[in-house]
Amino acid sequence: MVVASHAPTQQPSSEVLFQPIRIGGLDVPHRIVMAPLTRSRARTPGNVPTELMAAYYAQRASAALIISEATQVSMQGQGYAWTPGIHSREQVEGWRRVTDEVHKAGGRMFMQLWHVGRISHPALQPDHMLPVAPSPITPAGKAFIENEHGEGELVPFVRPRALDLDEMPYLVRQYARGARNAQIANADGIEVHGANGYLLEQFLATGTNHRVDAYGGPVEQRARLLLEVVEACIAIWGPERVGVRISPLSTFNDIQDDNPEATFSYVAEQLAEYKLAYLHVINPAATELQTGQPIPQRVEKLLALIRSKFRGVLMMAGGFTRDTAAQWIEAGRADLIAFGRAFLANPDLPERFRRKAGFNQPDPKTFYGGGEHGYTDYPSLEQELGTKPRPTVDTSWR
Ligand code: PHB
């Protein structure tokens, strides 16, 4: 006799992806978010958002939520050539044109606030000063700068300058100014970038934070800057318009932590107190998810721990397909799924998921820098079906 519980698992229905949800103060129609993506197309001098950027984001307005590319809160916070900022009047005006276009197209947009800390280079810093960090530890790897010919170039990282204790309030104010500017720019909220080895994670992780003052040592002190920044942003926006992004277990940008379980358990627990719009977690098992390998036990455990500590809206990003996104939401492991490369190459990604259509392939050569090509010229399904034969179709996100 066939026992029901031994029946093969059914193909997950993607219906769950199309259930509405409330993200803080916003009602959104489905669960498919556009992840923050560095595209390095701001206008220089000044790192100002352009009309082309407005067109790019407006094309993607059918996302449940657009999270802007990482946007530096100060000149000191910049780590790559041509990334946009949100600290000058011109930048704020540029972002306002972006959010206007997104809103006109029916979308919603949070601005991601970014300070890169040591992941920078004097060539990108005001007066060619040293980048700042919790401790003077040189990251492995290279910085992406603009050389004297106006071209992108990779140069080795330098040893950063350790921040003085009396500079810390100034750092928090850089984020607060970014948060305020995002309001003037008519964004719908902000996301604090606490991930990927940038400044806030440099403070969180034991490998990059050797401080012996109130911002170093035990996790309560290493997390102090992140929490102060979040509180400063909440003071401006209210908690329901503030999200936070973290990347547990990631080693990106030469990050290393002695006890990520303790670090992220504490962070999730503390962030839960604020009743944020959402917590955004970069999936440490993106590769396994993509290749169909089992999720490592350690990752499973840590994600379950974060989920148990943070009871609010949880967004996950990294390596998801339509089916795995639906599975994770169905299983209660996430409420929203953010798509990066898939959204980059498919401006109408939710519609393609809904119709189980094919996908445009993203072209890594056009990810960073350049103009329209590989940016605003990926066709929607409608454009594809109505005018020309479909370009290369890749079904790997299905
Ligand atoms: C990048 O510019 O390469 C970049 C920016 C922000 C991230 C990750 C990578 O979170």
Side-chain angles (χ1 to χ4, degrees):
M1 207 176 97
V2 179
V3 181
S5 63
H6 291 163
T9 10
Q10 284 207 319
Q11 264 304 95
S13 150
S14 58
E15 261 166 46
V16 74
L17 282 179
F18 293 97
Q19 285 171 3
I21 187 172
R22 194 168 176 83
I23 308 177
L26 291 174
D27 286 311
V28 304
H30 58 76
R31 309 302 182 92
I32 304 153
V33 169
M34 180 179 171
L37 294 163
T38 290
R39 305 305 309 274
S40 300
R41 279 166 169 86
R43 189 175 69 232
T44 50
N47 302 298
V48 179
T50 63
E51 295 295 333
L52 186 63
M53 287 169 60
Y56 159 80
Y57 281 112
Q59 284 177 344
R60 287 157 181 77
S62 66
L65 180 67
I66 293 173
I67 303 166
S68 80
E69 64 205 280
T71 298
Q72 60 266 8
V73 291
S74 61
M75 285 169 78
Q76 186 190 65
Q78 183 171 0
Y80 303 81
W82 313 310
T83 56
I86 187 143
H87 50 86
S88 76
R89 179 185 293 258
E90 245 189 317
Q91 290 164 349
V92 175
E93 281 165 8
W95 280 118
R96 199 181 168 106
R97 286 193 289 275
V98 174
T99 61
D100 278 353
E101 292 303 315
V102 167
H103 291 149
K104 264 193 253 164
R108 297 149 292 267
M109 183 167 187
F110 274 35
M111 300 276 325
Q112 196 194 48
L113 301 185
W114 193 31
H115 189 308
V116 297
R118 66 179 190 156
I119 304 300
S120 185
H121 190 274
L124 296 159
Q125 291 288 308
D127 299 326
H128 288 68
M129 288 190 291
L130 287 176
V132 296
S135 303
I137 304 165
T138 314
K142 292 185 172 172
F144 180 70
I145 64 160
E146 178 178 353
N147 67 20
E148 63 271 27
H149 310 296
E151 300 150 352
E153 188 175 320
L154 289 169
V155 291
F157 286 125
V158 299
R159 187 167 184 256
R161 174 178 73 79
L163 285 153
D164 287 339
L165 183 60
D166 62 10
E167 288 179 274
M168 302 309 284
Y170 169 63
L171 270 173
V172 177
R173 282 204 302 276
Q174 291 181 32
Y175 283 92
R177 179 182 58 188
R180 177 68 192 125
N181 284 344
Q183 234 170 21
I184 298 169
N186 244 346
D188 296 287
I190 51 147
E191 178 175 284
V192 174
H193 193 336
N196 288 342
Y198 298 111
L199 182 73
L200 298 176
E201 200 183 34
Q202 290 160 28
F203 271 87
L204 276 184
T206 54
T208 37
N209 184 346
H210 294 180
R211 299 177 75 92
V212 292
D213 61 13
Y215 290 86
V219 64
E220 293 79 6
Q221 306 200 156
R222 299 196 316 274
R224 187 186 304 278
L225 181 62
L226 170 67
L227 300 179
E228 285 180 353
V229 165
V230 169
E231 284 180 19
C233 292
I234 287 174
I236 290 159
W237 277 93
E240 74 282 1
R241 297 293 178 136
V242 176
V244 177
R245 192 175 215 217
I246 56 173
S247 50
L249 297 173
S250 168
T251 56
F252 185 64
N253 280 326
D254 202 15
I255 279 291
Q256 184 271 325
D257 190 61
D258 288 343
N259 191 346
E261 283 78 8
T263 300
F264 287 99
S265 166
Y266 178 77
V267 166
E269 201 174 275
Q270 293 300 304
L271 292 177
E273 299 287 317
Y274 299 119
K275 312 288 179 236
L276 298 172
Y278 61 84
L279 178 62
H280 186 176
V281 180
I282 301 176
N283 181 9
T287 307
E288 286 84 356
L289 205 60
Q290 267 166 335
T291 54
Q293 304 293 113
I295 309 289
Q297 271 297 307
R298 185 175 189 193
V299 173
E300 291 275 16
K301 273 197 174 153
L302 184 51
L303 292 181
L305 185 64
I306 291 172
R307 187 57 155 162
S308 73
K309 302 274 180 192
F310 187 89
R311 308 301 304 178
V313 172
L314 191 69
M315 185 187 298
M316 295 278 317
F320 287 92
T321 60
R322 190 195 63 212
D323 286 348
T324 53
Q327 278 164 10
W328 281 49
I329 292 175
E330 192 89 58
R333 307 168 97 191
D335 303 298
L336 293 160
I337 304 290
F339 292 88
R341 288 169 180 236
F343 234 125
L344 179 159
N346 297 277
D348 53 348
L349 187 68
E351 184 61 10
R352 287 174 189 257
F353 280 163
R354 196 178 279 120
R355 288 167 51 174
K356 299 189 169 51
F359 302 97
N360 304 316
Q361 285 250 41
D363 174 9
K365 291 196 297 296
T366 53
F367 281 179
Y368 306 109
E372 286 173 39
H373 180 51
Y375 193 52
T376 48
D377 62 355
Y378 288 108
S380 65
L381 265 183
E382 268 178 0
Q383 287 167 330
E384 255 177 61
L385 300 173
T387 55
K388 45 185 173 331
R390 288 149 80 110
T392 323
V393 168
D394 179 338
T395 53
S396 60
W397 289 305
R398 267 197 263 187

